[in-house]
Amino acid sequence: MEILPLIVLFLSFFLLMGVGLPISFAMGLSTLATLAMMFSFDQALFIMAQKMVVGFDSFTLLALPFFILAGNIMTTGGIARRLINLAKMVGQPLPGSLAHTNILANMMFGSVSGSAVASAAAVGGVMTPEMRRAGYDMKFGAAVNIASCTTGLLIPPSGTFIIYSLISGGTSVAALFVAGYLPGILLGGAMMLVAGIMAARAGHKGQGLPTLRELGFAIADAILPLGLVVIIMGGIISGIVTATEAAGIAVIYAFILALFVYREMTYRDLPKVVMDTGMTTGIVMLLVGISSAMSWTMTFADMPYMIQQALEAVSENPLMVLLFINISLLIIGTFMDLTPALLIFTPIFLPVAQDMGMDPVHFGVMMTLNLCIGICTPPVGSALFVGSSIAGVPVWSVLRPIIPFYLAFAAVLAIVTLVPDVSLLLPRLFLGYGG
């Protein structure tokens, strides 16, 4: 067991990232350098190419580009506005009604797009002018949008869970999807509680109950977009379709809605939608392939075993080990985006968690929720920068109003970590999941 290859791997990785190299290339070059230390350079090239191909060789992974395409079609096709109108009716009676509308809309749009950044852009683009006209402090408005857009990474369909399924050795995508509902709703509820208290202190009152006519129109307008969730999850839970087949159905359904039913997307928009999908998919697939080689290298160098031994030397208490893992992920999330962090650190921490008896679905939900915090924090939080830009406020000015939402994140993370049934109850009920 030698620690030198691991030192070279991580030292070169962070050094290359520090000089501004894209993270996928930093991962690839550091992995290649480490493999060349352990084998010959020719063997290192062969192993890396082989492990990248193995990383791509997954039928489940095909679901990812389909869900990305479906989300892009929905963003272009006017579906966000219809979900926001329904969210308005639900949040209207509550103090700070527009803040609640933003959170509910992010939960609903995230559940059909599966992208936090897409939700922040689409929902924030509609809600920002309304909140500004209503006299809301836009720093608070940006904080609400940034924090709540992450709920879409937990409420299915979630591309994050597909990636985790692949990197964790085939954890059930269906179980992960169903497991994300309760934590996602719990997180959204915590966001609404914080937003309601802050809005009430600022003097923002509710707007009264909507009329049955208004509520009926909003439900009728949003029923078709929400039907996508029913079709996808209903098909997966019933066993009629796999996650990959459900993703293909999602594309067809979104295409019909955007092009023929709502007619807010035209054939001229399709090249840009497809190009955006191809670029996003290409970035993710490159990360997946390279991370497979990096994960194999870490495993070959006995890194999971070393970490397990180190943690057991510090404490044999499972709660202390989970606390260490969560704190580590919180720190990692502040300077690394969610997808690469998931790809790199799942093979490191998952074996440790499983040796303590933790279910991989429970761990996947915990890890995803933890890393969601990172996309809302500086210095690399993608949702933080997008949400601030949409609201037209400096990034630094959002940090103070978003602190209470960080506390809500921490509270929900603690509940999800310590109460496995929050993640595992629904998979057991609907799928007979036994872990």
Side-chain angles (χ1 to χ4, degrees):
M1 184 191 303
E2 294 184 11
I3 199 168
L4 183 59
L6 294 174
I7 294 174
V8 171
L9 177 66
F10 283 98
L11 190 62
S12 59
F13 172 64
F14 289 116
L15 181 64
L16 290 169
M17 273 211 315
V19 299
L21 200 67
I23 192 165
S24 54
F25 293 102
M27 289 168 62
L29 290 174
S30 59
T31 300
L32 185 61
T34 307
L35 287 171
M37 279 187 63
M38 298 189 289
F39 306 95
S40 69
F41 185 72
D42 288 345
Q43 287 176 313
L45 286 173
F46 176 78
I47 291 170
M48 188 157 181
Q50 183 187 51
K51 297 306 173 186
M52 286 181 68
V53 171
V54 169
F56 295 138
D57 187 18
S58 170
F59 179 72
T60 302
L61 194 59
L62 284 173
L64 194 61
F66 284 127
F67 278 129
I68 293 171
L69 178 57
N72 285 339
I73 292 172
M74 292 172 192
T75 303
T76 307
I79 289 171
R81 178 172 53 79
R82 289 169 169 82
L83 295 175
I84 290 171
N85 288 339
L86 177 59
K88 279 182 185 176
M89 298 297 106
V90 178
Q92 189 171 300
L94 303 173
S97 56
L98 292 181
H100 294 299
T101 296
N102 198 315
I103 296 168
L104 289 167
N106 267 322
M107 291 173 70
M108 288 189 287
F109 188 72
S111 71
V112 294
S113 73
S115 168
V117 172
S119 290
V123 175
V126 176
M127 292 306 301
T128 294
E130 295 198 27
M131 296 184 82
R132 186 175 283 118
R133 284 194 297 268
Y136 282 76
D137 181 351
M138 289 317 302
K139 296 187 287 291
F140 166 68
V144 170
N145 188 39
I146 291 163
S148 63
C149 73
T150 57
T151 55
L153 298 176
L154 291 167
I155 301 175
S158 170
T160 305
F161 285 149
I162 295 172
I163 293 172
Y164 173 81
S165 169
L166 176 73
I167 208 71
S168 64
T171 304
S172 168
V173 174
L176 287 164
F177 275 8
V178 177
Y181 272 114
L182 281 182
I185 293 170
L186 186 62
L187 181 61
M191 298 294 171
M192 291 179 70
L193 178 62
V194 170
I197 293 171
M198 294 175 71
R201 287 180 176 176
H204 297 293
K205 299 180 180 180
Q207 301 175 8
L209 290 169
T211 65
L212 289 176
R213 180 183 176 86
E214 289 173 334
L215 186 59
F217 273 122
I219 292 174
D221 207 26
I223 197 72
L224 289 178
L226 291 176
L228 178 61
V229 179
V230 176
I231 291 171
I232 292 174
M233 295 311 300
I236 291 174
I237 291 171
S238 64
I240 297 173
V241 295
T242 64
T244 305
E245 292 163 346
I249 293 170
V251 172
I252 297 170
Y253 188 92
F255 181 81
I256 292 171
L257 277 188
L259 207 65
F260 300 112
V261 178
Y262 298 139
R263 298 183 180 180
E264 294 193 20
M265 188 177 83
T266 66
Y267 286 108
R268 292 181 180 179
D269 296 319
L270 283 177
K272 184 179 185 305
V273 168
V274 173
M275 186 177 295
D276 288 345
T277 301
M279 290 175 64
T280 304
T281 302
I283 292 169
V284 173
M285 291 298 187
L286 183 60
L287 279 168
V288 168
I290 292 175
S291 73
S292 296
M294 191 178 195
S295 299
W296 185 88
T297 304
M298 291 187 293
T299 303
F300 188 83
D302 283 334
M303 185 173 185
Y305 176 75
M306 286 190 231
I307 290 176
Q308 183 181 351
Q309 293 294 102
L311 289 175
E312 287 178 354
V314 174
S315 175
E316 294 185 1
N317 187 334
L319 292 180
M320 293 303 296
V321 175
L322 284 175
L323 178 64
F324 172 81
I325 291 174
N326 271 313
I327 291 174
S328 300
L329 290 173
L330 285 169
I331 295 170
I332 290 161
T334 61
F335 62 86
M336 188 177 292
D337 204 14
L338 188 148
T339 299
L342 197 72
L343 289 166
I344 294 170
F345 292 97
T346 296
I348 295 174
F349 289 128
L350 179 59
V352 176
Q354 286 183 299
D355 283 341
M356 296 188 307
M358 192 173 190
D359 188 274
V361 169
H362 178 204
F363 182 81
V365 173
M366 182 195 80
M367 188 173 187
T368 300
L369 173 57
N370 192 307
L371 293 174
C372 281
I373 303 173
I375 67 174
C376 303
T377 57
V380 296
S382 53
L384 179 67
F385 288 97
V386 170
S388 300
S389 175
I390 293 292
V393 295
V395 171
W396 60 265
S397 69
V398 179
L399 298 181
R400 184 173 180 180
I402 206 173
I403 288 174
F405 293 100
Y406 291 151
L407 297 177
F409 266 119
V412 175
L413 178 60
I415 293 170
V416 168
T417 301
L418 298 174
V419 186
D421 277 348
V422 173
S423 302
L424 299 177
L425 178 63
L426 294 184
R428 286 170 179 161
L429 283 176
F430 292 104
L431 300 174
Y433 178 77

